[in-house]
Amino acid sequence: MTSSMPKHFNPPESEKSWYDFWLKAGYFHADEKSALDPYTIVIPPPNVTGSLHMGHALNNTIQDILIRYRRMDGYEALWMPGTDHAGIATQNVVEKELADQGVDRHHLGREQFVDRVWEWKEKYGGVILEQLQRLGSSCDWVRERFTMDEGLSRAVREVFVRLYREGFIYQGDYITNWCPRCHTALSDLEVEHHERKGKLYHLRYPAVDGSGEVVVATTRPETMLGDTAVAVHPEDERYEDLHGRTFNLPLTHREIPLINDTFCNMEFGTGAVKVTPAHDPNDFEIGERHDLPKITVISLEGTMTHEAGESYEGLDRYACREKVVHDLNEQGFLVGSEDYEHSVGQCYRCQTVIEPIISRQWFVRMKDLAQPAIEAVEDGRIQIYPETWKKTYYEWMNNIRDWCISRQIWWGHRIPVWTCTGCEEILVDVDEPVSCPKCGTGELHQEDDVLDTWFSSALWPFSTMGWPEDTGTLRKFYPTSCLVTGFDILFFWVARMIMMGMKFMGDVPFRHVYIHALVRDADGHKMSKSRGNVIDPLVMIDKYGADAFRFTLAAFAAMGRDVRLAEDRVEGYRNFVNKIWNASKLVLQYLDGVEGDQIIDPPMAKEIQNRWIRSRLSFVIGSVRDAFDSYRFNDAAGSIYQFFWHEFCDWYLELAKPSFYGDKGEDSLKETAITAANVLETSLRLLHPLMPFLTEEIWQRLPVKGDSIMIASFPVADTADRDIEAEESMGVATDLITGVRNLRTESGIKPSERIRASVVSDDDAFSEIVRVLKKDIERLGRLESLELDHVGPIPEGAATAVVKGQVLFINPETEVDAEAERVRLSKELEKVVAELKKVNGKLSNSQFLQKAPPEVVEKNRAIQADLNIQKGKLQENLESLGK
RNA sequence: GGGCGAUUAACUCAGUGGGAGAGUGCUGCCUUCACACGGCAGAAGUCACUGGUUCAAAUCCAGUAUCGCCCACCA
């Protein structure tokens, strides 16, 4: 039974109905009790505040391709979905919303504010997941997780406590990156450095005893209010006299010493450095080495403190900078200033310039955690694709620094540390202690800080599976198979997952890491919401359909390169969708009386075009599998595109039409219909991971058994289908047809005009093939007749061509333009002669003959022979033109 | 300052040692009974530049130029 198909494929309708169908049927769900081998991917959890951008689209399309491929190929495929609570980002969003209502979070208080964030999350947090569904993502939604779920929070506390007890976590007063706007510390990774234009000011500090002065340079003059020393290199001869002196710090009443420190670069400026231990990471270390006081002059709000002095207290740091410069200048301490481009650290969430400030923070000692993670990549337990990223990974891991994990915000996992107000006992535990075990009386106050969001992300591969419980999910699906991600979070996330996986699971979190391209904007910049340069994938889906969009992303996803999405490519693949639809429509018309079993397992074909297309198909299956297996999605897309459009549609279906129309009899119709359906059905299964909706829509209309293409098996190449003879014969036919068509066009013969063509052949095998395929060549060449084995001279004025070393000519009813023909043939001859010259050069080179591999020499000889024949025939043809 | 990557047709990009490719666009012809979101036939490139290795280089090596990214405490 066959059904007729609508004129056009309707993506919105199809996408919605099939997605619902799959969901209801439970095909997305992975069973941990299954006997099948597992294939697991955990999603890089998008921020709850997120909405789908190109990066997500590419990332999730790739994951869905992998998951659908393995699911069809007989694996128990789990794609674990979820979202990330995104501490700072989410808090910022809700704070902004509150601000619009004129509310400050401090007025609400912590508890109420957190409630509000939860409300926000319930209301808007699912948006991104719905958007992922529009892409066709076949996640196991039943297992959806959120990094602040009870279970995951428990895992976070467990990890914190264990790390603390083993001495990996410590607390201390250190200089950290501080965002005055988000009002929290940031890890080094969360600071983005950008080149900015600024000024380098040169300041004069006079010696207390009037015996001289020292000139220092700074881009942040306001920090001089917190200077506690001037440092010079111990070997800097310029300052020998000044050793041991003290200097007046301008604008203050303080005196500061001159110290020696090898940190100073004698080549830079005056070689003297002002030292502000409280506001510069280097100066902090110098301060530690020399036991200098640390004077905090900039507050957590980014304003000047009391310590900065009366005239500056309360000023914003930038207002203060101006005032300090003004005052220094007025009092004669400003030597000068110059334009200066330098790197400035900014908050990765709000772009505010960060301020290095001393505060009490929690840190994780990384070195010992990093070692096993380095080894896991070194010994291949984790493979990174493309490999070039390994180097970057090692570089960072080998120079890893301690991780500041505390954040002074409210939205996140509150640090599981309590202090007893009675005896100051510090309690670190997974669950909130009921009372102080030491004094039993004091009140317990939990640490105010929350953990860096990436702390919980680092546990994602096992926390989502129920750790620390020993769950069936963990046993079945951990370690995961492949992590698909962009390189922008290689350190933030991937490296930390490896470390935590090794530490707490004793095994790698994933066996493969596939690092895909970053989708950039037209200027090559990273697309990001804060930059406002995003192109909306949903618009692409609305405009061209999810299948075309997915296929485009796959076609662009060459390993290790960035993507700049061109919309006309999406349009091109939308046309491919249309092509598949229409080809299917054609094939479906001829399936009366064809059984599903015959389509799935067709008998050996007899007719050459049927043998040929099945041979081609078996090669394509192989290359698509290879491409998927090695993450070459562009090759997979390319192979199948080329096959389906240019081989199946352009050649095969055209050759099949006479059979379809019944011109070649009942048997031919039957065999061809079965073959066409078989190739179509197999192609749909090959295409399914790339184009899930379209393939399901068509597959459901085929008379094959099964409930859905997404649980049908992925094609396996049948080597018995490989048929070199058929491919060679078809090569002759297609070349002849192309030759005829070319002659027609070149000779200006209208398609409607029926003409005669002849072949002059001195090759029996060639002639035999032409004889067998005569009718096809005539039809597709739009020939009235094809004369085989023409003997005698080529008629004067006939247009000629050389095909596979044999001569083809057409007998036009109207005389061809001999001059135009001469020009055409001469041009072709010129080309052949040029090529021949190259080949002759190679083959007359004894070095080439000696050193090149025999097969290469052989190939060149064949080319030479072929070119010689072409040359000869072209010359003859030219001569036969007369004159 | 260190590292990585890019430079191939008008555009967007594949191609990593043996006769330069795709999609789009362009030119010409075709309203042929799956598809004009189509068919057929074409034109189009000093593979950034300079050297080197090799019988053979878009492909490997060195350098140059331009662009981009990542990392880094140089005031």
Side-chain angles (χ1 to χ4, degrees):
Chain A
M1 188 199 77
T2 58
S3 55
S4 69
M5 288 169 67
K7 193 156 196 283
H8 293 289
F9 175 55
N10 181 344
E13 199 183 294
S14 185
E15 286 164 19
K16 187 166 183 347
S17 69
W18 291 120
Y19 200 89
D20 288 348
F21 169 76
W22 295 329
L23 205 54
K24 285 206 188 86
Y27 297 146
F28 298 162
H29 185 60
D31 180 5
E32 60 208 44
K33 295 193 181 73
S34 161
L36 300 175
D37 286 342
Y39 184 86
T40 317
I41 294 178
V42 291
I43 202 170
N47 290 356
V48 275
T49 53
S51 63
L52 194 76
H53 59 58
M54 282 300 172
H56 295 125
L58 175 64
N59 179 247
N60 289 287
T61 295
I62 289 170
Q63 291 175 79
D64 197 46
I65 290 168
L66 290 171
I67 277 286
R68 285 180 185 272
Y69 166 47
R70 299 301 156 127
R71 190 186 288 121
M72 290 175 79
D73 208 24
Y75 290 83
E76 191 63 28
L78 167 61
W79 186 7
M80 177 77 78
T83 47
D84 191 294
H85 68 280
I88 299 173
T90 309
Q91 173 154 333
N92 284 353
V93 167
V94 177
E95 269 192 274
K96 206 173 160 199
E97 196 181 75
L98 288 174
D100 291 342
Q101 302 162 19
V103 183
D104 186 85
R105 74 178 154 104
H106 297 282
H107 294 148
L108 282 181
R110 181 168 193 151
E111 210 169 304
Q112 272 200 50
F113 177 76
V114 169
D115 285 346
R116 290 292 284 267
V117 182
W118 275 108
E119 278 171 35
W120 187 93
K121 187 254 170 189
E122 294 311 321
K123 203 165 161 192
Y124 304 109
V127 169
I128 180 110
L129 298 181
E130 285 163 28
Q131 292 171 329
L132 288 181
Q133 298 191 354
R134 289 217 47 205
L135 263 182
S137 309
S138 60
C139 303
D140 189 351
W141 297 110
V142 178
R143 297 180 188 269
E144 183 191 329
R145 295 290 184 273
F146 178 55
T147 47
M148 287 208 358
D149 279 350
E150 184 43 45
L152 276 73
S153 300
R154 153 91 200 193
V156 165
R157 295 195 301 272
E158 184 76 31
V159 164
F160 183 95
V161 171
R162 288 199 202 174
L163 287 176
Y164 180 86
R165 290 188 179 152
E166 291 181 43
F168 285 100
I169 286 180
Y170 63 94
Q171 187 188 27
D173 291 305
Y174 293 94
I175 194 154
T176 49
N177 311 294
W178 183 268
C179 175
R181 205 220 61 84
C182 297
H183 210 268
T184 181
L186 298 171
S187 71
D188 294 328
L189 279 178
E190 288 168 309
V191 178
E192 289 178 2
H193 292 271
H194 297 289
E195 287 292 310
R196 278 206 178 184
K197 284 189 176 123
K199 279 197 182 334
L200 184 65
Y201 299 91
H202 301 273
L203 317 179
R204 168 185 297 135
Y205 292 180
V208 170
D209 60 10
S211 66
E213 62 178 29
V214 61
V215 174
V216 296
T218 179
T219 54
R220 297 184 298 150
E222 70 280 10
T223 62
M224 60 83 59
L225 298 168
D227 283 4
T228 53
V230 170
V232 295
H233 197 281
E235 284 156 29
D236 196 334
E237 292 169 2
R238 289 171 291 183
Y239 297 102
E240 267 175 10
D241 304 351
L242 297 176
H243 285 172
R245 312 270 167 115
T246 54
F247 294 81
N248 282 317
L249 185 63
L251 313 183
T252 70
H253 304 297
R254 290 194 287 113
E255 294 175 5
I256 56 175
L258 184 87
I259 58 168
N260 285 315
D261 198 289
T262 51
F263 164 79
C264 299
N265 179 353
M266 289 188 279
E267 311 297 317
F268 188 92
T270 60
V273 183
K274 63 189 274 305
V275 182
T276 322
H279 295 289
D280 183 281
N282 294 312
D283 296 4
F284 181 86
E285 283 176 23
I286 296 174
E288 292 284 280
R289 284 198 287 272
H290 298 270
D291 204 20
L292 297 173
K294 304 180 181 76
I295 302 177
T296 295
V297 292
I298 302 173
S299 73
L300 301 182
E301 279 70 36
T303 57
M304 305 312 288
T305 65
H306 179 69
E307 300 270 20
E310 257 178 48
S311 17
Y312 308 104
E313 181 177 359
L315 283 179
D316 174 79
R317 52 187 167 151
Y318 294 115
C320 179
R321 177 173 301 176
E322 278 179 38
K323 186 160 165 53
V324 162
V325 169
H326 174 267
D327 292 351
L328 284 169
N329 188 33
E330 207 163 58
Q331 297 173 33
F333 296 116
L334 182 68
V335 179
S337 70
E338 58 192 276
D339 287 338
Y340 194 67
E341 195 158 307
H342 62 125
S343 163
V344 174
Q346 294 170 220
C347 171
Y348 83 139
R349 285 300 176 208
C350 71
Q351 306 300 314
T352 302
V353 174
I354 63 107
E355 203 63 50
I357 288 181
I358 294 172
S359 55
R360 174 156 291 203
Q361 303 291 346
W362 293 87
F363 297 86
V364 181
R365 268 183 246 283
M366 300 306 285
K367 218 162 182 55
D368 290 347
L369 292 171
Q371 202 45 46
I374 292 168
E375 286 161 14
V377 174
E378 276 173 348
D379 64 23
R381 275 174 293 161
I382 294 176
Q383 287 176 40
I384 300 182
Y385 299 83
E387 277 211 329
T388 64
W389 288 104
K390 274 164 74 171
K391 196 172 173 182
T392 310
Y393 173 80
Y394 292 138
E395 183 65 21
W396 191 72
M397 292 293 272
N398 284 321
N399 296 298
I400 199 160
R401 297 195 292 170
D402 286 357
W403 176 14
C404 175
I405 51 169
S406 46
R407 298 290 178 274
Q408 287 65 50
I409 55 172
W410 289 346
W411 176 241
H413 300 101
R414 202 160 166 177
I415 292 178
V417 173
W418 289 263
T419 311
C420 173
T421 51
C423 62
E424 297 196 349
E425 172 80 352
I426 289 175
L427 304 166
V428 179
D429 210 335
V430 173
D431 298 309
E432 181 168 3
V434 254
S435 61
C436 175
K438 193 174 170 194
C439 68
T441 54
E443 211 172 292
L444 296 176
H445 181 258
Q446 186 173 4
E447 186 71 21
D448 284 320
D449 294 352
V450 300
L451 289 166
D452 181 1
T453 303
W454 296 103
F455 191 90
S456 57
S457 314
L459 320 180
W460 187 251
F462 51 89
S463 65
T464 50
M465 295 190 191
W467 190 90
E469 304 301 321
D470 178 23
T471 65
T473 307
L474 271 176
R475 284 198 298 269
K476 178 79 184 173
F477 295 109
Y478 192 96
T480 70
S481 309
C482 181
L483 181 83
V484 179
T485 188
F487 60 80
D488 52 330
I489 50 175
L490 182 62
F491 306 140
F492 271 115
W493 193 45
V494 181
R496 286 164 177 169
M497 277 191 288
I498 298 174
M499 291 188 273
M500 291 302 187
M502 299 305 295
K503 174 77 185 160
F504 291 98
M505 293 297 296
D507 199 353
V508 297
F510 26 74
R511 303 187 197 285
H512 290 180
V513 179
Y514 174 67
I515 296 179
H516 57 68
L518 217 56
V519 185
R520 297 181 184 280
D521 71 5
D523 305 319
H525 287 124
K526 189 156 106 179
M527 282 188 187
S528 73
K529 209 175 172 182
S530 51
R531 270 207 189 82
N533 59 353
V534 293
I535 298 169
D536 192 348
L538 296 171
V539 172
M540 295 291 116
I541 294 175
D542 288 341
K543 223 166 151 183
Y544 304 105
D547 293 308
F549 180 57
R550 288 169 60 114
F551 199 89
T552 310
L553 292 173
F556 262 114
M559 229 197 286
R561 281 202 45 161
D562 291 343
V563 165
R564 264 192 267 170
L565 196 74
E567 190 170 334
D568 63 2
R569 284 285 289 263
V570 190
E571 197 180 330
Y573 291 123
R574 188 272 319 268
N575 296 349
F576 183 43
V577 167
N578 185 250
K579 189 75 181 177
I580 297 167
W581 181 260
N582 282 294
S584 306
K585 212 160 72 179
L586 173 69
V587 172
L588 271 159
Q589 281 175 35
Y590 300 101
L591 294 186
D592 283 333
V594 173
E595 302 291 327
D597 290 347
Q598 294 174 299
I599 295 174
I600 298 299
D601 189 17
M604 205 62 122
K606 294 194 190 73
E607 291 191 48
I608 195 152
Q609 78 274 8
N610 293 332
R611 285 164 53 202
W612 171 74
I613 197 67
R614 281 177 55 176
S615 180
R616 295 304 310 141
L617 177 66
S618 90
F619 278 104
V620 169
I621 293 169
S623 38
V624 170
R625 273 185 175 271
D626 280 355
F628 280 157
D629 288 341
S630 49
Y631 304 104
R632 287 179 289 111
F633 301 100
N634 59 322
D635 285 343
S639 307
I640 198 155
Y641 182 95
Q642 160 67 24
F643 170 75
F644 196 89
W645 197 316
H646 299 303
E647 295 186 294
F648 184 62
C649 293
D650 288 350
W651 283 111
Y652 176 76
L653 289 180
E654 292 307 322
L655 287 163
K657 279 176 182 176
S659 302
F660 285 158
Y661 299 158
D663 299 350
K664 291 166 83 176
E666 193 61 28
D667 287 352
S668 175
L669 169 58
K670 185 94 177 173
E671 180 183 292
T672 305
I674 289 171
T675 304
N678 167 261
V679 175
L680 173 64
E681 197 272 346
T682 310
S683 301
L684 291 175
R685 281 184 287 129
L686 262 188
L687 265 167
H688 179 77
L690 299 163
M691 295 187 161
F693 301 110
L694 173 76
T695 51
E696 182 75 292
E697 183 74 47
I698 298 169
W699 193 85
Q700 293 284 347
R701 295 163 189 273
L702 286 169
V704 287
K705 294 195 186 89
D707 293 324
S708 168
I709 192 173
M710 78 166 275
I711 52 165
S713 66
F714 198 78
V716 179
D718 185 349
T719 47
D721 281 340
R722 303 210 170 161
D723 192 332
I724 301 303
E725 195 194 318
E727 299 221 13
E728 277 175 3
S729 299
M730 277 298 299
V732 169
T734 55
D735 280 5
L736 275 173
I737 293 163
T738 302
V740 170
R741 287 166 170 172
N742 179 287
L743 290 178
R744 296 184 67 115
T745 306
E746 297 290 345
S747 311
I749 299 165
K750 300 278 181 208
S752 54
E753 202 174 327
R754 292 285 161 150
I755 55 165
R756 290 175 292 121
S758 307
V759 172
V760 188
S761 166
D762 55 14
D763 177 338
D764 290 344
F766 179 88
S767 302
E768 180 56 26
I769 293 168
V770 177
R771 191 164 294 117
V772 172
L773 292 166
K774 180 170 182 283
K775 282 238 152 47
D776 292 315
I777 298 164
E778 284 170 346
R779 209 174 56 83
L780 296 184
R782 303 187 68 76
L783 295 172
E784 192 178 278
S785 71
L786 178 67
E787 183 196 4
L788 305 172
D789 303 320
H790 175 91
V791 236
I794 295 168
E796 189 159 330
T800 58
V802 181
V803 174
K804 294 234 189 278
Q806 309 304 322
V807 173
L808 167 76
F809 67 88
I810 57 176
N811 296 310
E813 304 308 316
T814 52
E815 192 81 2
V816 294
D817 180 344
E819 192 46 40
E821 179 69 1
R822 187 188 312 282
V823 169
R824 188 177 66 81
L825 289 178
S826 304
K827 212 172 148 189
E828 205 166 323
L829 182 61
E830 215 172 283
K831 254 194 224 165
V832 168
V833 169
E835 297 240 340
L836 194 55
K837 198 177 161 192
K838 274 206 298 202
V839 179
N840 286 341
K842 275 193 205 176
L843 288 169
S844 59
N845 181 341
S846 62
Q847 291 291 306
F848 174 73
L849 297 176
Q850 267 174 39
K851 295 188 178 172
E855 64 270 21
V856 173
V857 176
E858 211 30 64
K859 196 179 168 194
N860 274 277
R861 280 198 212 284
I863 292 166
Q864 186 189 42
D866 184 50
L867 287 173
N868 270 322
I869 292 169
Q870 279 194 53
K871 183 182 162 195
K873 306 244 156 136
L874 282 168
Q875 281 168 340
E876 280 175 36
N877 294 352
L878 261 170
E879 279 162 26
S880 78
L881 272 175
K883 281 189 195 172

